[in-house]
C-alpha cells in the first residue's frame, strides 16, 4: 500500500465551534468533580479536557507535514479505520472531501461548512471493523482483514499523529506498520507495509504448525532468530526450507538475503528441520525430479545461451549477458522448476500439446494470471520468445528494467508452452513485477488492464533495439498533408522506439484540436498500444434507500430508484419523493446509518452521489416542511446485553436497530415532550395481539375493545401520513399510560444522562439525542424487527449474464470513443496563436492499426469516492471484425481481425475474479484459463458481459467469406 500524502489533505485552521467546545469542556469539568468513575479522570486526578477541534487540526497538520518532510525507512505508521478517521475529520472541521472539486460551486462550498459545525466529538478510536483477531493478539500480531483498501477502509497516520490521537481519544487497537523502501529500477518509492509477510511454519518433528509474521524486507538471519525463539532451539540446530506447495525448494540458510529476494509468498509454508545427533531427521524429503528444468531447445542455436535472456545469480538478479553464461545446474538456482512447478511430476508426455498449462493463484493474482495467459497466447509473441532473443535485450535503457522483465516473461512463456498441462506457480515473475512495479506488490486485487499496460511498455523498453535515443524536435502540421505529417511522426517515433512490441502492438492516432476562439487547428499523430473504449449507455445507478415516517404514521419501507450516476443528493430525494408519492408539504431528510447511529446527515442538496458507496446504509426520514427550522429529535435504540466486555462504555447495553428522527415543537421543551414524541414514533411498531395492551385496554375502558384485534398493517394501509385522527386517538391512550421504557439524554460522545422528571426543562439546541432502552416488556409491546436489517445501497451480484436486452455493439463503443468532445477544465490546451490556454474541442481518428489490436472496455469508473463496475453486455465479433471505415490512412493493409483471447472480470470491485479465454490457433479451439484450472469452452460461450480486454489479430489476405461472422454484429 502506498502512503498517502497527508499534507495535502488537511485544510487551514478554521475559527468555529467555540461555544460548543466551551460548553463541552465545562461539562467535562463538572463530571470530573461530581462523578469520579465517569471516565474523565486522569491517574493523577486531573480532568482530561479535550482540545478545541481547530487546535487538534492544527497539531495534526503540523505533525503530518513534519513526517512528510522526514521520510526514511523504518519509520512507524499506524493503520486507522477510515470510518473513525472520517468522523474525526468532520469534528475538527476540515474538508472531508465529500464534494468532488469538479462539482463544487460557491453554494455547495458554503453548504459544506454547515454540517461540520454540528459534528459531534468522536468516541474512542475504533479499529474493530478492520481487524480479525483483536482479542487474541496485540501489536504486530493483530491480523488485518484481507483486501482492505487505503482511503476506503483505512488511512495511515505517522507515529507522532497516532500518539496524539490515542492521548486525546484512547481506544484502539494499535496497528503499527513500518515504512519500507521499494528499490525499483526507474525510481525509489516509500511504502507502508500494511500486510507483513505471513509464513506458515511446519515443524518436521511433530508436524505442528504456527504462524510467523515478518517484513518482506527482513533477512534470513531475522527469520532464523524468530523461528528459533519461537521453538526454543539454538540456531546451529535449525535448518529452514522453502516449502512452497508442500515441496522442498531451496534451503533458507542464514544470510542477509531478504525474504522478498527469495520470492516467499503470503501464507506459504516453510519447513523446520532440527539436527539430532548430527543429522536432520525428517519425514519430508526432496523429490528427485524437482530439480529438472524443462527447457525448449533452440533450433538452430545461434549462441551458446540455452535460454534467451540468460544469466542470473542465485538471488535471481541478472548480472551480465555474455556468451558462456550457464554451466550445467547453475541455471537451476535462478529458474528452477521447483520454484515454479505446482507439482513435481512435470515432464511433458510425448506428443502432449503446449499452451495448456494453468497458473497458480498466489493470493489475489488472478488479474495477473488472466493478462499473462492472453499475452502468452499472442502468436507473434509466442514465436518471438520461443526463439533466441538475447541479442535484442537492452540492458542500458534507463526507461527499462535492465532486461530482467523481458527475461522473466520469456522464461515464464517457455515454461507454459513446455510443461504440457502442469500448473506453473509464477513466483519468480511476481517477484520481478513487485520489484519494478511496486503498485502491483502485496496481495490485493488489481486491474488486469493496468498490468497489461505496464507489461507491454516494460517489455518494449527491455527489448528496445535503440540503444541511444536521438533528440527530435516535433514540428507543427502547419497545413501540410496528413500523410506527410503522419509519416514524419511515425519515423520520429521509430527512431526512438523500435522493438517487437512496436512491430506488432502499436498503431497510430490522428488527434485534431480546434481553438474555440481563434479557430486554430492543431493536428498531431500519436502512437497507441490499445484502444480504451467507453460504454456509452451506462450513465445510471441503482440505489436502495429505506424510508422512515417522521410523524409515526407508518412502517419503514425500502425503495429502489434509478438515478444519474454523477447526480446529486437532490436527484436522489426527487426520485424517492416520486416513488413514495410524497405530498407537497413534506420533505425528505437523508442520512447514513453506521453501527446503529446516524453517521452523517446528507443535508447538502448539491452533494455528489459519488460520496455514497454501494455498501453503505442510507435512510430517508419523511418529515413535514413546516418543521424544517424546528429541533430534531434523534432516538437511538439500546438493549441490555448479557456479555458486556465490548460494551462497558454503554453501561452493559449495546445499540441495535435504526435511529428514528422527528421534529419537536418550537416552545420550551421538558421531559414529557420527549416522552410523547418517542411514544408517537413507536406507535407503528405496536404488536397487534399484545397481552399487555389488552390488559391496559380492559383496565382503562372496562372491556376489551374489538378494534384491538385488527391487524396494525391494515390500519397503515388505509391511513396515509396525513390521516392522523386514528393516530392521535391511539397516541392519547398511549400517553395516558405510565411509560415503561427509560430515556437518557446523550451529548453525542457516548456519555448518557438519565432524563429529569417530566416537568424539568430540556436545554434547547438544534439536535436532541436520546437513548431508548428496550427491556423484555418493550419487546412484547413493540415489534423491533422493523428497525433491523437495513439493505445496502446496492448489492453487487457475482454473475455475468448475457443480458441481450441491454446489449450494445462494439462499434457503438468505438464511435463513442471517436466522437468529438470538448476538453475538460483540467485539460486546457495552450493555443499557440492566442498564446493562452483554451478549452479546445478534440477529435480522435484511427490512422493506422497494428497486427495485434487490444480493445479495453472501460467497465470500471473511478471517482474520488466511488468505484463502480459496469456489467453491460457488449456484443463483439469473434471473426471478421472489419474496421476499414474507421481507418483514415490508405496504407494498403487489411483492417479485418479475428479474436484470439479475452480477459474476463466477474463480480464487483475488490471481490471480483479474473479469468481468460484463449484460442489455440493451430487447432482452432478455445480454452478457459481459470488460474490453475484449464478446460475447453465452446466458441458460442465466450461472449459474456464479463469481457474486459479483447485481443484481436489481423487477418492476412482476404477475409474468409461466410467463415463465421461478418462485420455486422448480430444483436438478437
Amino acid at each position: 500500500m502506498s502512503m498517502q500524502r497527508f499534507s495535502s489533505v488537511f485544510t487551514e485552521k478554521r475559527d468555529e465551534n467555540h461555544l460548543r467546545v466551551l460548553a463541552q469542556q465545562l461539562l467535562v469539568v463538572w463530571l470530573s468533580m461530581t462523578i469520579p468513575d465517569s471516565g474523565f479522570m486522569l491517574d493523577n486526578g486531573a480532568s482530561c479536557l479535550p482540545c478545541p477541534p481547530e487546535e487538534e487540526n492544527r497539531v495534526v497538520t503540523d505533525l503530518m507535514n513534519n513526517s512528510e518532510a522526514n521520510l526514511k525507512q523504518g519509520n512507524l505508521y499506524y493503520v486507522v479505520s477510515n470510518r473513525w478517521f472520517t468522523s474525526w475529520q468532520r469534528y475538527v472541521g476540515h474538508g472531508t472531501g465529500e464534494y468532488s472539486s469538479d462539482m463544487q460551486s460557491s453554494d455547495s462550498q458554503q453548504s459544506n461548512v454547515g454540517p461540520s459545525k454540528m459534528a459531534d466529538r468522536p468516541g474512542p478510536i475504533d479499529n474493530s471493523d478492520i481487524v480479525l483477531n483483536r482479542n487474541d493478539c496485540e501489536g504486530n500480531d493483530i491480523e488485518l482483514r484481507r483486501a482492505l483498501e487505503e482511503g476506503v477502509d483505512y488511512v495511515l497516520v505517522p507515529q507522532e499523529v497516532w500518539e496524539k490521537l490515542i492521548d486525546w481519544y484512547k481506544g484502539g487497537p494499535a496497528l503499527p506498520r513500518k515504512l519500507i523502501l521499494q528499490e525499483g529500477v526507474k525510481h525509489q518509492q516509500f511504502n507502508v507495509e500494511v500486510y507483513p509477510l505471513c509464513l506458515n511454519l511446519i515443524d518436521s518433528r511433530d508436524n505442528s504448525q504456527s504462524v510467523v509474521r515478518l517484513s518482506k524486507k527482513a533477512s534470513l538471519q531475522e527469520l532464523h532468530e524468530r523461528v528459533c525463539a519461537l521453538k526454543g532451539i539454538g540456531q546451529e540446530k535449525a535448518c529452514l526450507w522453502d516449502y512452497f506447495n508442500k515441496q522442498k525448494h531451496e534451503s533458507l540458510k542464514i544470510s542477509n538475503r531478504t525474504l522478498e529476494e527469495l520470492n516467499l509468498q503470503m501464507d506459504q509454508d516453510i519447513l523446520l528441520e532440527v539436527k539430532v545427533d548430527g543429522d536432520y531427521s525428517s519425514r519430508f524429503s526432496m523429490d528427485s525430479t524437482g530439480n529438472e528444468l524443462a527447457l525448449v531447445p533452440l533450433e538452430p542455436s545461434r549462441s551458446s545461451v540455452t535460454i534467451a535472456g540468460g544469466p542470473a545469480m542465485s538471488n535471481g538478479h541478472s548480472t551480465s549477458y555474455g556468451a558462456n553464461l550457464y554451466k550445467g545446474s547453475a541455471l537451476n538456482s535462478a529458474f528452477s522448476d521447483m520454484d515454479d512447478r505446482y507439482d513435481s511430476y512435470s515432464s511433458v508426455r510425448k506428443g502432449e500439446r503446449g499452451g495448456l498449462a494453468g497458473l497458480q493463484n498466489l493470493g489475489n493474482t488472478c488479474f495477473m494470471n488472466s493478462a499473462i495467459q492472453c499475452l502468452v497466447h499472442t502468436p507473434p509473441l509466442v514465436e518471438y520468445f520461443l526463439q533466441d532473443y538475447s541479442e535484442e535485450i537492452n540492458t542500458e535503457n534507463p526507461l527499462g528494467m535492465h532486461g530482467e522483465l523481458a527475461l522473466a516473461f520469456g522464461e515464464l512463456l517457455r515454461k507454459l508452452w513446455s510443461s504440457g498441462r502442469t500448473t506453473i506457480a509464477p513466483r519468480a515473475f511476481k517477484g520481478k513485477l513487485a520489484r519494478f512495479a511496486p503498485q502491483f506488490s502485496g496481495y490485493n486485487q488489481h486491474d488486469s488492464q493496468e498490468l497489461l499496460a505496464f507489461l507491454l511498455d516494460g517489455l518494449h523498453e527491455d527489448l528496445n533495439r535503440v540503444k541511444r535515443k536521438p533528440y527530435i524536435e516535433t514540428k507543427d502540421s502547419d497545413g501540410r498533408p496528413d500523410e506527410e505529417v503522419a509519416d514524419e511522426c511515425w519515423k520520429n517515433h521509430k527512431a526512438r522506439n523500435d522493438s517487437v512490441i512496436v512491430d506488432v502492438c502499436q498503431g497510430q492516432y490522428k488527434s485534431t484540436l480546434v481553438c474555440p476562439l481563434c479557430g486554430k487547428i492543431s493536428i498531431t499523430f500519436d502512437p497507441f498500444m490499445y484502444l480504451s473504449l467507453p460504454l456509452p449507455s451506462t450513465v445510471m445507478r441503482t440505489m436502495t434507500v429505506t424510508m422512515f415516517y417522521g410523524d409515526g404514521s407508518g412502517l419503514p419501507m425500502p425503495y429502489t430508484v434509478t438515478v444519474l450516476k454523477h447526480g446529486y443528493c437532490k436527484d436522489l430525494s426527487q426520485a424517492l419523493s416520486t416513488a413514495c408519492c410524497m405530498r407537497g408539504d413534506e420533505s425528505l431528510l437523508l442520512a447514513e446509518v453506521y453501527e446503529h447511529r446516524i453517521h452523517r446527515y446528507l443535508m447538502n442538496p448539491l452533494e455528489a452521489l459519488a460520496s455514497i458507496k454501494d455498501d453503505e446504509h442510507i435512510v430517508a426520514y419523511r418529515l413535514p416542511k413546516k418543521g424544517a427550522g424546528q429541533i430534531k429529535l434523534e432516538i437511538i435504540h439500546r438493549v441490555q446485553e448479557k456479555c458486556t466486555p465490548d460494551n462497558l462504555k454503554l453501561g452493559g447495553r449495546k445499540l441495535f436497530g435504526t435511529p428514528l428522527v422527528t421534529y419537536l415543537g418550537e416552545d420550551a421543551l421538558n421531559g414529557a415532550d420527549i416522552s410523547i414524541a418517542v411514544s408517537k414514533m413507536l406507535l407503528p411498531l405496536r404488536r397487534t395481539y399484545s397481552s399487555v395492551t389488552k390488559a391496559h385496554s380492559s383496565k382503562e375502558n372496562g372491556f376489551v375493545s374489538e378494534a384491538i384485534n385488527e391487524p396494525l398493517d391494515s390500519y397503515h394501509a388505509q391511513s396515509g401520513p396525513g390521516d392522523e385522527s386514528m393516530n392521535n386517538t391511539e397516541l392519547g391512550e398511549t400517553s395516558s399510560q405510565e411509560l415503561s421504557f427509560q430515556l437518557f439524554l446523550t451529548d453525542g460522545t457516548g456519555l448518557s444522562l438519565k432524563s429529569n422528571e417530566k416537568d424539568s426543562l430540556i436545554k434547547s439546541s438544534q439536535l436532541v439525542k436520546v437513548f431508548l432502552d428496550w427491556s423484555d416488556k418493550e419487546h412484547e409491546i413493540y415489534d423491533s424487527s422493523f428497525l433491523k436489517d437495513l439493505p445496502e445501497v446496492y448489492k453487487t451480484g457475482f454473475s455475468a449474464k448475457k443480458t441481450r436486452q441491454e446489449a450494445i455493439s462494439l462499434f457503438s463503443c468505438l464511435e463513442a470513443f471517436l466522437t468529438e468532445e470538448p476538453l475538460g477544465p483540467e485539460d486546457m490546451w495552450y493555443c499557440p496563436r492566442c498564446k493562452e490556454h483554451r478549452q479546445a474541442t478534440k477529435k480522435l481518428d484511427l490512422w493506422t492499426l497494428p497486427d495485434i489490436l487490444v480493445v479495453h472496455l472501460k467497465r470500471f469508473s473511478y471517482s474520488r469516492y466511488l468505484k463502480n463496475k459496469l456489467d453491460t453486455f457488449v456484443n463483439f465479433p469473434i471473426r471478421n471484425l472489419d474496421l476499414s471505415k474507421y481507418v483514415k490512412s490508405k496504407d494498403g493493409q487489411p483492417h479485418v481481425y479475428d479474436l484470439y483471447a479475452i480477459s474476463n472480470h466477474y463480480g464487483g470491485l475488490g471481490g471480483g475474479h479474473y479469468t481468460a479465454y484463449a484460442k489455440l490457433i493451430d487447432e482452432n479451439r478455445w480454452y478457459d484459463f481459470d488460474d490453475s484450472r484449464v478446460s475447453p469452452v465452446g466458441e458460442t460461450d465466450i461472449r459474456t458481459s464479463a469481457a474486459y480486454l479483447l485481443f484481436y489479430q489481423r487477418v492476412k489476405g482476404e477475409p474468409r467469406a461466410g467463415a463465421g461472422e461478418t462485420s455486422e454484429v448480430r444483436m438478437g
Side-chain angles (χ1 to χ4, degrees):
M1 295 289 176
S2 61
M3 184 190 63
Q4 290 181 319
R5 294 187 171 270
F6 291 99
S7 58
S8 62
V9 173
F10 289 89
T11 57
E12 293 293 323
K13 169 182 173 182
R14 295 198 313 200
D15 195 18
E16 61 179 17
N17 294 337
H18 290 295
L19 292 177
R20 179 170 60 84
V21 172
L22 180 59
Q24 193 176 54
Q25 290 179 331
L26 291 174
L27 175 62
V28 170
V29 172
W30 177 78
L31 286 170
S32 65
M33 292 187 298
T34 58
I35 311 177
D37 60 348
S38 64
F40 284 84
M41 299 289 292
L42 295 177
D43 294 339
N44 58 7
S47 61
C48 180
L49 295 177
C51 293
E54 58 270 23
E55 177 64 14
E56 288 188 14
N57 190 20
R58 184 195 65 78
V59 170
V60 169
T61 301
D62 290 345
L63 291 175
M64 290 285 192
N65 292 337
N66 182 66
S67 174
E68 184 74 15
N70 295 280
L71 295 177
K72 63 179 180 179
Q73 187 163 247
N75 285 357
L76 276 185
Y77 279 74
Y78 283 75
V79 184
V80 180
S81 166
N82 192 47
R83 284 280 188 181
W84 184 91
F85 195 73
T86 300
S87 65
W88 176 82
Q89 288 178 313
R90 290 196 179 95
Y91 167 67
V92 300
H94 113 69
T96 60
E98 291 178 1
Y99 316 103
S100 57
S101 57
D102 57 339
M103 297 181 180
Q104 279 186 346
S105 65
S106 58
D107 292 337
S108 66
Q109 288 172 347
Q110 291 172 0
S111 303
N112 193 15
V113 176
S116 67
K117 291 183 177 180
M118 298 171 55
D120 294 317
R121 190 174 194 269
I125 298 171
D126 184 6
N127 286 333
S128 60
D129 61 321
I130 59 174
V131 299
L132 288 175
N133 53 352
R134 61 175 301 180
N135 295 326
D136 305 305
C137 312
E138 51 183 61
N140 290 325
D141 288 331
I142 297 180
E143 187 174 359
L144 284 175
R145 296 184 184 275
R146 293 293 175 90
L148 297 179
E149 195 171 341
E150 184 180 2
V152 176
D153 303 296
Y154 70 89
V155 297
L156 297 167
V157 299
Q159 180 178 5
E160 298 80 8
V161 171
W162 169 260
E163 290 171 352
K164 282 294 181 184
L165 292 175
I166 203 69
D167 181 51
W168 293 332
Y169 292 95
K170 303 298 184 285
L175 303 169
R177 296 294 186 267
K178 285 186 178 180
L179 191 68
I180 62 175
L181 183 63
Q182 295 289 95
E183 300 268 4
V185 171
K186 293 185 179 181
H187 58 273
Q188 293 182 335
Q189 179 177 323
F190 283 102
N191 287 330
V192 176
E193 192 176 22
V194 176
Y195 290 96
L197 189 60
C198 183
L199 299 173
N200 184 39
L201 176 66
I202 300 177
D203 192 330
S204 64
R205 295 172 295 180
D206 55 7
N207 207 26
S208 63
Q209 300 186 22
S210 50
V211 175
V212 177
R213 292 187 179 90
L214 279 173
S215 168
K216 62 184 178 182
K217 294 292 185 181
S219 66
L220 285 178
Q221 173 70 41
E222 294 174 78
L223 176 62
H224 273 260
E225 291 174 357
R226 179 70 66 87
V227 169
C228 292
L230 179 66
K231 292 296 182 177
I233 58 176
Q235 293 188 30
E236 70 282 356
K237 294 184 177 181
C239 179
L240 293 177
W241 288 89
D242 176 357
Y243 200 55
F244 183 73
N245 283 338
K246 294 292 190 293
Q247 294 178 10
K248 286 184 178 180
H249 293 268
E250 182 180 356
S251 175
L252 304 177
K253 297 178 180 178
I254 296 177
S255 71
N256 290 325
R257 294 172 64 192
T258 66
L259 307 184
E260 181 181 41
E261 291 172 355
L262 290 159
N263 296 319
L264 297 184
Q265 302 297 307
M266 178 70 83
D267 299 324
Q268 80 153 73
D269 295 328
I270 57 174
L271 179 66
L272 169 65
E273 294 180 342
V274 180
K275 184 181 292 186
V276 179
D277 298 329
D279 294 320
Y280 293 105
S281 58
S282 174
R283 293 172 293 153
F284 301 82
S285 61
M286 173 85 77
D287 195 299
S288 60
T289 64
N291 289 322
E292 296 178 2
L293 176 59
L295 301 180
V296 178
L298 303 177
E299 297 178 357
S301 177
R302 291 178 287 176
S303 74
S304 59
V305 180
T306 56
I307 284 188
M313 301 297 289
S314 61
N315 63 2
H317 296 294
S318 301
T319 54
S320 63
Y321 297 86
N324 298 311
L325 299 172
Y326 306 121
K327 294 294 182 183
S329 63
L331 182 62
N332 293 339
S333 62
F335 296 113
S336 74
D337 256 13
M338 284 301 296
D339 182 57
D340 283 348
R341 287 284 172 81
Y342 187 77
D343 59 49
S344 60
Y345 302 98
S346 55
S347 58
V348 183
R349 292 190 295 270
K350 187 174 182 179
E352 188 171 29
R353 180 171 301 281
L356 294 179
L359 288 167
Q360 184 179 349
N361 193 314
L362 301 177
N364 269 339
T365 57
C366 58
F367 76 98
M368 181 182 76
N369 294 346
S370 174
I372 288 175
Q373 291 289 8
C374 291
L375 282 182
V376 301
H377 286 87
T378 299
L381 297 184
V382 175
E383 181 181 358
Y384 179 86
F385 282 101
L386 287 183
Q387 297 176 4
D388 182 0
Y389 58 93
S390 58
E391 293 180 359
E392 293 203 334
I393 292 176
N394 189 335
T395 62
E396 303 170 9
N397 188 353
L399 299 178
M401 296 84 176
H402 304 314
E404 293 186 47
L405 184 66
L407 294 179
F409 176 79
E411 178 62 20
L412 181 57
L413 181 145
R414 286 168 173 263
K415 289 182 178 179
L416 288 170
W417 278 91
S418 66
S419 62
R421 291 180 176 268
T422 302
T423 297
I424 300 297
R427 288 202 298 168
F429 182 81
K430 184 177 183 293
K432 296 289 184 185
L433 187 66
R435 178 185 169 204
F436 296 122
Q439 66 269 29
F440 298 115
S441 63
Y443 300 91
N444 279 1
Q445 186 69 276
H446 294 283
D447 190 329
S448 68
Q449 185 272 332
E450 292 178 358
L451 175 66
L452 177 72
F454 169 80
L455 287 179
L456 289 177
D457 183 63
L459 290 174
H460 157 65
E461 297 294 356
D462 270 6
L463 299 171
N464 197 346
R465 304 175 185 112
V466 179
K467 308 302 182 183
R468 295 288 184 268
K469 295 187 178 185
Y471 171 76
I472 300 175
E473 188 172 349
T474 57
K475 300 177 183 178
D476 197 19
S477 57
D478 285 333
R480 291 182 292 162
D482 285 349
E483 290 77 9
E484 178 184 336
V485 179
D487 186 57
E488 178 184 273
C489 290
W490 186 251
K491 286 180 179 178
N492 291 343
H493 175 65
K494 286 280 286 185
R496 295 173 54 84
N497 302 277
D498 184 17
S499 70
V500 64
I501 303 299
V502 175
D503 294 343
V504 301
C505 296
Q506 286 195 356
Q508 196 176 26
Y509 287 135
K510 176 187 176 183
S511 176
T512 304
L513 290 169
V514 180
C515 178
L517 293 182
C518 72
K520 166 68 177 176
I521 299 176
S522 174
I523 297 176
T524 58
F525 292 84
D526 304 305
F528 69 88
M529 200 103 69
Y530 46 84
L531 297 177
S532 289
L533 306 186
L535 307 190
S537 65
T538 50
V539 295
M540 306 301 287
R541 179 185 181 190
T542 299
M543 303 182 73
T544 298
V545 177
T546 305
M547 184 89 67
F548 286 81
Y549 288 88
D551 59 358
S553 62
L555 291 170
M557 176 72 67
Y559 288 89
T560 299
V561 296
T562 301
V563 293
L564 284 170
K565 184 176 63 177
H566 298 299
Y568 303 93
C569 283
K570 64 178 183 180
D571 301 317
L572 177 58
S573 295
Q574 181 60 46
L576 291 170
S577 300
T578 302
C580 71
C581 303
M582 198 170 69
R583 299 197 315 269
D585 61 347
E586 294 178 305
S587 64
L588 290 179
L589 176 62
L590 300 175
E592 178 193 350
V593 174
Y594 175 67
E595 292 189 345
H596 315 295
R597 293 180 183 267
I598 301 291
H599 183 63
R600 57 170 173 153
Y601 287 104
L602 302 169
M603 302 179 70
N604 179 14
L606 295 179
E607 177 164 357
L609 292 179
S611 68
I612 302 176
K613 301 182 182 68
D614 283 347
D615 61 349
E616 292 178 346
H617 301 88
I618 302 298
V619 296
Y621 297 103
R622 189 170 175 172
L623 299 164
K625 283 186 178 178
K626 63 181 181 180
Q630 298 179 359
I631 298 171
K632 282 199 298 289
L633 174 64
E634 190 176 300
I635 305 166
I636 307 167
H637 308 280
R638 301 195 306 183
V639 67
Q640 184 70 42
E641 190 178 31
K642 296 179 181 179
C643 299
T644 62
D646 296 330
N647 294 277
L648 294 176
K649 63 180 181 180
L650 294 177
R653 297 182 180 272
K654 68 174 182 178
L655 304 183
F656 80 97
T658 306
L660 301 175
V661 174
T662 187
Y663 285 137
L664 298 173
E666 298 178 355
D667 300 332
L669 298 176
N670 56 30
D673 296 324
I674 301 291
S675 298
I676 290 173
V678 171
S679 300
K680 183 178 179 181
M681 293 299 293
L682 292 181
L683 189 59
L685 307 181
R686 288 178 67 92
R687 298 184 185 274
T688 306
Y689 304 108
S690 168
S691 60
V692 176
T693 303
K694 288 182 180 180
H696 166 71
S697 179
S698 177
K699 178 180 178 180
E700 291 291 316
N701 302 320
F703 63 92
V704 177
S705 170
E706 294 295 327
I708 201 66
N709 290 326
E710 293 180 6
L712 194 61
D713 290 346
S714 64
Y715 151 60
H716 288 297
Q718 299 170 9
S719 63
D723 186 4
E724 299 182 357
S725 58
M726 191 171 181
N727 191 8
N728 289 336
T729 301
E730 293 205 22
L731 179 60
E733 294 179 6
T734 304
S735 59
S736 66
Q737 303 179 46
E738 184 66 32
L739 297 176
S740 60
F741 49 74
Q742 290 184 314
L743 297 173
F744 294 86
L745 293 174
T746 175
D747 58 2
T749 64
L751 178 68
S752 59
L753 301 173
K754 187 175 181 180
S755 61
N756 295 324
E757 298 295 328
K758 291 189 176 182
D759 56 352
S760 54
L761 294 179
I762 305 298
K763 186 177 179 181
S764 154
S765 66
Q766 286 299 309
L767 177 64
V768 175
K769 296 185 179 184
V770 296
F771 283 140
L772 168 58
D773 285 354
W774 289 65
S775 65
D776 292 340
K777 192 173 184 180
E778 279 71 51
H779 282 293
E780 185 178 357
I781 299 175
Y782 302 103
D783 187 352
S784 64
S785 65
F786 293 104
L787 302 174
K788 300 176 182 178
D789 300 326
L790 282 181
E792 295 180 355
V793 169
Y794 180 75
K795 190 72 172 179
T796 304
F798 196 85
S799 64
K801 297 180 180 178
K802 300 181 181 180
T803 52
R804 295 280 178 159
Q805 300 85 346
E806 303 173 3
I808 59 176
S809 163
L810 180 64
F811 295 103
S812 65
C813 297
L814 180 59
E815 287 162 3
F817 173 71
L818 299 176
T819 300
E820 183 179 65
E821 61 181 0
L823 296 176
E826 68 280 359
D827 295 320
M828 302 282 275
W829 171 63
Y830 182 78
C831 176
R833 184 179 296 170
C834 297
K835 306 297 183 184
E836 290 194 25
H837 286 88
R838 301 295 188 196
Q839 193 170 359
T841 58
K842 183 175 184 178
K843 173 73 168 69
L844 287 176
D845 290 297
L846 301 179
W847 187 255
T848 62
L849 294 177
D851 289 343
I852 297 298
L853 178 65
V854 181
V855 177
H856 166 220
L857 301 176
K858 297 174 71 173
R859 295 195 177 277
F860 301 133
S861 60
Y862 299 92
S863 69
R864 192 173 178 183
Y865 310 100
L866 182 69
K867 296 182 180 180
N868 193 30
K869 164 77 183 296
L870 310 175
D871 286 319
T872 304
F873 179 82
V874 178
N875 203 330
F876 50 87
I878 297 174
R879 292 191 178 93
N880 295 342
L881 168 64
D882 191 352
L883 300 177
S884 300
K885 71 175 184 178
Y886 299 102
V887 180
K888 298 302 181 182
S889 72
K890 310 298 180 185
D891 57 2
Q893 289 266 34
H895 304 119
V896 180
Y897 290 83
D898 283 352
L899 187 73
Y900 70 87
I902 306 172
S903 175
N904 300 305
H905 181 270
Y906 297 87
L909 285 169
H913 180 60
Y914 285 93
T915 68
Y917 293 137
K919 182 179 182 180
L920 291 190
I921 304 297
D922 56 349
E923 68 174 51
N924 194 31
R925 190 173 186 183
W926 286 87
Y927 289 87
D928 179 7
F929 293 84
D930 185 355
D931 289 332
S932 58
R933 185 182 63 84
V934 180
S935 58
V937 61
E939 188 173 277
T940 57
D941 297 323
I942 66 174
R943 273 190 289 202
T944 72
S945 59
Y948 183 44
L949 298 174
L950 307 174
F951 292 75
Y952 284 95
Q953 183 178 22
R954 190 195 305 273
V955 176
K956 301 294 184 179
E958 293 296 323
R960 300 178 298 277
E965 301 169 90
T966 65
S967 60
E968 294 297 322
V969 180
R970 297 194 303 270
M971 298 299 294

